[in-house]
Amino acid sequence: MSAIIPSLYIDGSAVFDGNTLFSVKGMAINSSQWTCLLGPSGSGKSTLLRLIAGLDTHVEFNGSLKASDNLQVHNRVAYMAQSDLLFPWLRADENIKVGSKLRGEKIDNDELEIIIQNVGLIDHCKKYPSELSGGQRQRVALARTLMENKPIILLDEPFSALDAKTRLEMQDLVAEHLQEKTILLVTHDPNEATRLCNNIYLLNDSEIYLTKSLPPPFPKNINDEDVFLLQTKLLEEIRGS
Amino acid sequence: MKSWYYPIASIISIILIWQLGVWISSAPSYILPAPLDVVVSFIDNWQLILEHTIVTLTEVLLGLFFGVLLGFITALYLESSKTAVLFLRPILIFSQAIPVFALAPLLTLWLGYGILSKVVMAILIIYFPVTSSFYDGLTKTPSSFLDLAKTMGSSKRRTLYVIKIPAATPNLFSGIRLAAVYAPIGATIGEWVGSSQGLGYLMLLANGRVKIDLMFAALLTLGFISIGLYGFISFILRKLTLRS
């Protein structure tokens, strides 16, 4: 069963202790596209992600968060974070299928096998997280996200803890496998934003606004001149010069 | 490999200091027996010691089993509801405020001179450490793990089984290790207060008859039980946690 992939629309503001953490007007996270929210650390990017995922935040959100099909958002979200969030007492393959276990569902073993193959973990799926490298662990996290098969994917700086080479490999791998979904990538890395995302939103001075839309294909090459120029522009915009 | 030498060296040092104490004080052997006297007494009385060891070991193992089980269940109950914490915590703390030793005569009075009062004593002494260490672990699950479970649509019960309990096992295990050391203490106290068998009883008996070498032999046996039990339980728990 392939569910319809909805777009998300967000309007409103998040208030913490009487102060506006951020306000957002007409933000569209389109289906089958990558949308990026770029901003410095501690600016509240992850809070927006948590609001979409229906997780506890310490802010009060006044506004609307809607899916294009008007159905609930929270239960159609898969979440990938900076730390891989693997359970150290479960093997890689057990971590990948942990969602089914948590919901008490039957596990689709064929699907599991295909995903393990696709993310290149065949030789490592019986290992415990402590026996895996950072890149391999993030692959397990990706496989777990794919296994969830949710239409909306929230990525909270999933590549930022990886070394440069592994980061590029993972960006390509994730981009390849998450094409037909509604993706929101939160990052502080302008290069990542320009390589991967159709629409780049900036969180600057407590305001979230669309700053750039890019034509496909994705991911863009690292030696693409446009990527380099745009990345510089974004950096300047973040600095406020 | 070399780490083997140190425990052996420390045991030899203790025996040497002991022997030195005997020589310097020139105390008669019914006050302070020499190490060799104790070994001889051990060999002469091995059947008697074995008989009482079996009794004490049974008490310790039963106490350990039920104490850990009760602690495990209590911690899960505490985790399950705020009311449970509010209701049970004062009782738990109060039970620790009373010296458990002081309850030994009462337990003997209520439960008799048999094995039961000693098992209960051991349970009482290990119940709190197991409960509190496991409960501590259950409440300290990383919040990011719980967030992930929530986005995956997990129920409260499944989150407990699949995430919280496994995440808390290191805490539970350190509680069980403590319990392995405390349980023999509990059983011995019970035997001191009133019994007709067990190593605690044998120690009192030997003491009363000025057979101090036998008393030392019983005391050392008790020490070996504790160390052996601790080593055995640590070994098993390490096997269980090796993978993570």
Side-chain angles (χ1 to χ4, degrees):
Chain A
M1 183 191 80
S2 97
I4 299 161
I5 312 292
S7 299
L8 295 181
Y9 305 109
I10 309 169
D11 265 297
S13 58
V15 181
F16 173 61
D17 223 2
N19 299 314
T20 304
L21 187 64
F22 60 78
S23 64
V24 49
K25 232 184 239 164
M27 181 179 192
I29 304 167
N30 296 326
S31 71
S32 306
Q33 285 193 353
W34 281 58
T35 303
C36 171
L37 177 58
L38 185 65
S41 305
S43 56
K45 304 187 299 283
S46 298
T47 304
L48 180 69
L49 246 170
R50 295 181 68 87
L51 284 168
I52 298 172
L55 297 172
D56 294 335
T57 60
H58 41 259
V59 302
E60 195 185 326
F61 183 72
N62 308 308
S64 72
L65 166 61
K66 274 195 303 214
S68 54
D69 53 9
N70 283 320
L71 296 173
Q72 239 209 334
V73 175
H74 302 333
N75 52 3
R76 291 188 290 170
V77 162
Y79 179 65
M80 213 176 143
Q82 178 180 344
S83 72
D84 44 62
L85 298 182
L86 301 185
F87 300 120
W89 58 87
L90 295 179
R91 292 193 314 258
D93 56 342
E94 294 168 325
N95 263 294
I96 293 170
K97 59 190 181 188
V98 77
S100 308
K101 204 170 165 192
L102 282 168
R103 289 184 296 274
E105 291 171 357
K106 227 178 140 246
I107 290 151
D108 185 345
N109 281 313
D110 297 338
E111 181 72 12
L112 178 69
E113 231 165 88
I114 293 169
I115 288 176
I116 287 175
Q117 192 158 9
N118 283 345
V119 298
L121 280 172
I122 291 182
D123 298 334
H124 306 292
C125 64
K126 296 292 174 201
K127 290 182 182 169
Y128 286 95
S130 56
E131 302 167 297
L132 299 172
S133 70
Q136 288 164 346
R137 292 169 63 110
Q138 205 52 279
R139 274 168 200 259
V140 177
L142 170 63
R144 183 184 56 198
T145 309
L146 294 173
M147 195 71 195
E148 285 297 283
N149 196 20
K150 297 280 174 67
I152 303 163
I153 313 278
L154 305 174
L155 304 172
D156 193 358
E157 311 207 13
F159 314 111
S160 60
L162 303 173
D163 65 80
K165 179 173 172 281
T166 316
R167 186 184 311 155
L168 286 175
E169 284 170 7
M170 277 306 292
Q171 285 171 352
D172 292 346
L173 190 72
V174 174
E176 181 194 341
H177 287 100
L178 296 177
Q179 286 179 350
E180 304 300 316
K181 311 273 186 181
T182 302
I183 314 272
L184 178 60
L185 168 70
V186 157
T187 181
H188 59 251
D189 179 4
N191 176 269
E192 192 164 284
T194 33
R195 280 196 74 215
L196 297 173
C197 297
N198 299 80
N199 296 306
I200 300 174
Y201 283 81
L202 208 60
L203 173 46
N204 226 351
D205 291 334
S206 306
E207 193 106 14
I208 295 175
Y209 57 90
L210 180 66
T211 184
K212 197 78 198 169
S213 292
L214 300 172
F218 299 100
K220 304 225 173 286
N221 246 323
I222 36 166
N223 50 15
D224 189 326
E225 226 170 86
D226 292 340
V227 169
F228 186 72
L229 285 174
L230 185 60
Q231 178 187 336
T232 315
K233 263 193 200 156
L234 284 172
L235 268 175
E236 281 171 350
E237 198 171 342
I238 294 170
R239 269 178 61 182
S241 56
Chain B
M1 289 115 260
K2 283 209 165 176
S3 62
W4 270 102
Y5 297 158
Y6 293 101
I8 291 171
S10 68
I11 289 169
I12 292 175
S13 321
I14 289 171
I15 293 174
L16 281 180
I17 291 169
W18 178 1
Q19 185 64 57
L20 212 64
V22 172
W23 280 334
I24 291 172
S25 69
S26 57
S29 84
Y30 58 84
I31 300 283
L32 179 63
L36 196 63
D37 297 337
V38 175
V39 173
V40 170
S41 164
F42 202 93
I43 294 167
D44 287 348
N45 297 295
W46 72 270
Q47 265 176 319
L48 182 72
I49 292 174
L50 181 68
E51 203 177 291
H52 290 284
T53 300
I54 290 170
V55 174
T56 303
L57 197 59
T58 311
E59 294 162 358
V60 167
L61 291 178
L62 284 173
L64 197 57
F65 177 77
F66 287 108
V68 168
L69 188 70
L70 270 177
F72 184 84
I73 293 169
T74 310
L76 284 182
Y77 179 53
L78 285 171
E79 197 278 334
S80 72
S81 86
K82 286 242 159 63
T83 329
V85 176
L86 294 174
F87 176 70
L88 272 183
R89 187 175 273 163
I91 299 176
L92 277 171
I93 291 174
F94 186 66
S95 78
Q96 286 306 295
I98 309 170
V100 190
F101 315 115
L103 293 177
L106 276 177
L107 290 179
T108 314
L109 180 70
W110 292 337
L111 305 171
Y113 279 77
I115 192 169
L116 185 61
S117 56
K118 287 81 196 171
V119 173
V120 171
M121 191 70 209
I123 291 174
L124 278 181
I125 216 165
I126 65 180
Y127 175 61
F128 187 77
V130 172
T131 306
S132 91
S133 57
F134 186 41
Y135 175 64
D136 222 35
L138 286 174
T139 54
K140 292 206 172 99
T141 318
S143 60
S144 52
F145 282 178
L146 301 178
D147 285 346
L148 187 72
K150 197 173 173 193
T151 61
M152 288 177 159
S154 177
S155 67
K156 215 179 153 194
R157 175 178 288 242
R158 286 186 189 278
T159 304
L160 179 67
Y161 292 149
V162 180
I163 300 176
K164 285 189 169 181
I165 292 179
T169 43
N171 296 68
L172 173 65
F173 286 178
S174 58
I176 294 176
R177 276 194 203 97
L178 268 182
V181 179
Y182 286 169
I185 300 177
T188 313
I189 293 165
E191 288 171 358
W192 275 349
V193 171
S195 68
S196 52
Q197 45 189 354
L199 286 171
Y201 164 77
L202 184 61
M203 271 150 61
L204 278 189
L205 188 76
N207 206 17
R209 297 188 179 172
V210 209
K211 287 185 170 173
I212 305 303
D213 47 357
L214 178 60
M215 204 212 100
F216 266 70
L219 184 63
L220 288 180
T221 310
L222 196 65
F224 288 135
I225 289 183
S226 293
I227 293 169
L229 198 61
Y230 180 80
F232 177 67
I233 289 202
S234 294
F235 173 75
I236 298 217
L237 298 184
R238 207 167 32 243
K239 283 262 162 197
L240 288 174
T241 43
L242 205 57
R243 50 194 204 174
S244 51

